[in-house]
Amino acid sequence: MSTEDKKYTSVHYSDYLALDKLLSAQNLRSEELGVPAHDEMLFIIVHQVYELWFKELIHDLESVLHSFEQGYVDERNIRVAVQRLNRITEIQKLLIDQLRVMETMTPLDFLDFRNYLFPASGFQSFQFRYVEVLLGLKSENRLTYNQAPYISVFSKEQREKLINLEAGKSMLEVVQDWLERTPFLEFKGFSFLPAYRGAVDRMITREKAAISQSSILTDEEKEMRIRMMGDTDSWFASVLDEKVHAQLMQEGKCKLSYRATVAALLINLYRDEPILQMPFMFINKLVDVDAMLTMWRYRHAQMVMRMLGRKIGTGGSSGYDYLQATAGKHHILSDFHNISTLLIPRSELPELPEDVKKGLNFYYSEKHKI
Ligand code: HEM
């Protein structure tokens, strides 16, 4: 039968979903070994459901990445990207919540079959690593254990896939390229950086004066606060001063290029302008995806502490300590979170010239004043 003929033939629910395969894929090791442990079924199903969701995450993330890697992003695609990222964060919420289902198994029940699992571990989840690499986590920024690269636990074919994926452009990189192309940093005679620099100077001078003149703070407290503001100054300098930013990049303290950082800042500050609304929502959703992944890491570590205490993992890591450390170290899009340091109140924002405002408005509403 040709594909054309096949199109409208009937299909059965169970065949369509390949339920035979799916429902016969729960093979309890404890049963095979003649010592059945009731909760192993839950353990397997929860992990399988995770892997299915990881598949969907990859499907959606790749589609967003591909729509950004062309060198030109159709504005219509940004709406689709926002929608897909939104779906991803909804799935991530489920992934975090699902750990509660896992926790209905008590640590003692887990011990009924844990010994049969060595050296299997979530550390060997190919799809989880694929998501991390797709988002932009680089090998050199990973925590390692057992003195072996993280890919050593995979088959040759899987290793090649991960290596090729990392060699290509990640989400962080395609978004960086897109941000670097933003035309609005120099737009219709308006130059964003000098205007922003002026506003920051005025704000910091005012804040320092307010601290110095405070009648509540002691001289020591004033000095300390002004010293602490110095740290904020250095963060501002990372945007205002390209050389400082280059130094931070070299030290691995930031990953996003100078121009892309400035563009992300502009989009954040002027997000109410019609043309910047979708790009803002996109960046915001991307930050959500990263934040949810970090939240999952913390939550998973917490569950591991509950299940295992300080026992080492089946994969050979220190267990809880290793997982807790990954939550901080494997934060992929932290540069977008750091943008908040650079935000200034709306009241301090340089007013955009009328012509620039018009340029950032929707063409139709500008023309017809609806
Ligand atoms: C009883 C439940 C669980 C326990 C006790 C547990 C324990 C651990 C431990 C100790 C590690 C560190 C690596 C090692 O030494 O093995 C780990 C890693 C991991 N686990 Fe779990 N886990 C549980 C459930 C889950 C579930 C339901 C998932 C969902 C897919 C999952 C996914 C992962 C992933 C992806 C890693 C690698 C994390 C990384 O290296 O950043 N785990 N797990």
Side-chain angles (χ1 to χ4, degrees):
M1 208 188 288
S2 73
T3 323
E4 196 48 37
D5 293 338
K6 261 191 187 167
K7 255 187 196 163
Y8 302 107
T9 53
S10 55
V11 61
H12 193 277
Y13 174 84
S14 142
D15 296 333
Y16 179 59
L17 300 175
L19 290 185
D20 275 355
K21 267 195 210 162
L22 201 62
L23 299 179
S24 55
Q26 291 71 40
N27 304 311
L28 279 60
R29 290 261 298 161
S30 60
E31 269 179 13
E32 274 167 27
L33 297 168
V35 275
H38 179 86
D39 281 1
E40 193 182 350
M41 179 67 89
L42 174 86
F43 188 80
I44 292 177
I45 289 181
V46 170
H47 279 86
Q48 286 177 337
V49 171
Y50 265 102
E51 290 293 338
L52 284 175
W53 280 129
F54 289 162
K55 188 166 184 176
E56 179 64 37
L57 290 191
I58 292 170
H59 185 57
D60 287 329
L61 274 175
E62 281 191 322
S63 77
V64 174
L65 194 141
H66 292 150
S67 67
F68 271 73
E69 73 186 350
Q70 314 298 336
Y72 159 77
V73 179
D74 187 332
E75 291 293 319
R76 291 175 194 89
N77 289 346
I78 302 185
R79 205 255 328 134
V80 178
V82 170
Q83 196 178 1
R84 301 235 162 111
L85 292 181
N86 189 47
R87 174 185 299 156
I88 288 171
T89 56
E90 287 305 316
I91 294 172
Q92 287 176 306
K93 283 182 204 164
L94 287 182
L95 297 186
I96 293 169
D97 261 8
Q98 232 188 124
L99 292 175
R100 288 166 59 89
V101 181
M102 187 92 268
E103 283 170 338
T104 61
M105 173 177 77
T106 67
L108 202 61
D109 292 329
F110 185 34
L111 288 180
D112 283 346
F113 62 93
R114 181 171 187 255
N115 278 350
Y116 315 137
L117 306 181
F118 286 92
S121 160
F123 203 72
Q124 295 157 352
S125 168
F126 172 75
Q127 293 199 105
F128 185 78
R129 297 297 178 223
Y130 199 93
V131 169
E132 291 180 326
V133 178
L134 207 57
L135 284 173
L137 185 59
K138 301 286 178 204
S139 298
E140 64 268 23
N141 295 325
R142 282 182 185 276
L143 278 175
T144 49
Y145 73 80
N146 296 345
Q147 277 86 48
Y150 81 100
I151 51 170
S152 61
V153 297
F154 297 114
S155 68
K156 186 169 174 283
E157 195 193 331
Q158 287 176 324
R159 282 204 298 268
E160 273 168 16
K161 275 192 184 154
L162 289 170
I163 289 168
N164 289 339
L165 188 69
E166 194 170 324
K169 289 209 165 172
S170 68
M171 185 72 89
L172 179 64
E173 286 153 332
V174 295
V175 171
Q176 170 175 280
D177 292 350
W178 167 69
L179 284 168
E180 285 184 350
R181 295 194 299 268
T182 304
F184 305 120
L185 297 180
E186 302 283 341
F187 187 60
K188 293 185 182 267
F190 172 72
S191 199
F192 169 65
L193 258 188
Y196 172 73
R197 180 183 285 128
V200 169
D201 279 346
R202 281 191 298 279
M203 190 185 77
I204 291 181
T205 310
R206 228 187 344 263
E207 282 182 10
K208 284 188 173 166
I211 294 172
S212 306
Q213 287 155 20
S214 162
S215 56
I216 306 167
L217 299 172
T218 64
D219 283 350
E220 275 155 22
E221 284 169 338
K222 285 178 188 172
E223 197 198 319
M224 191 184 73
R225 288 206 183 187
I226 289 180
R227 208 170 345 109
M228 280 165 69
M229 276 191 72
D231 289 345
T232 317
D233 286 355
S234 63
W235 267 112
F236 278 111
S238 73
V239 173
L240 299 172
D241 185 341
E242 200 166 353
K243 283 200 196 103
V244 177
H245 188 272
Q247 179 65 30
L248 289 171
M249 290 279 270
Q250 216 171 16
E251 290 166 14
K253 289 188 181 148
C254 56
K255 301 180 202 94
L256 199 62
S257 74
Y258 178 71
R259 193 174 162 85
T261 307
V262 179
L265 175 64
L266 172 118
I267 292 171
N268 266 277
L269 288 172
Y270 292 102
R271 62 185 157 189
D272 294 334
E273 302 304 325
I275 283 203
L276 300 180
Q277 287 177 12
M278 268 295 155
F280 170 71
M281 282 165 81
F282 173 71
I283 293 176
N284 209 32
K285 269 287 142 206
L286 210 52
V287 169
D288 278 350
V289 171
D290 191 43
M292 295 297 275
L293 183 57
T294 303
M295 211 183 294
W296 184 84
R297 291 188 202 276
Y298 280 119
R299 185 64 186 81
H300 171 259
Q302 192 190 25
M303 179 196 68
V304 168
M305 173 55 112
R306 188 170 170 180
M307 289 285 176
L308 301 180
R310 295 275 169 187
K311 288 192 186 88
I312 60 160
T314 44
S317 80
S318 59
Y320 173 78
D321 286 340
Y322 161 76
L323 293 167
Q324 187 73 5
T326 61
K329 173 102 172 142
H330 293 178
H331 201 183
I332 304 169
L333 306 177
S334 48
D335 295 70
F336 291 103
H337 295 254
N338 290 339
I339 296 280
S340 299
T341 322
L342 308 169
L343 295 183
I344 55 176
R346 280 197 175 92
S347 55
E348 307 276 355
L349 217 53
E351 183 70 25
L352 294 174
E354 212 36 52
D355 207 24
V356 175
K357 273 190 150 225
K358 273 188 192 164
L360 296 176
N361 199 354
F362 291 131
Y363 177 75
Y364 189 85
S365 38
E366 187 55 46
K367 203 156 188 262
H368 299 275
K369 293 284 173 214
I370 46 169

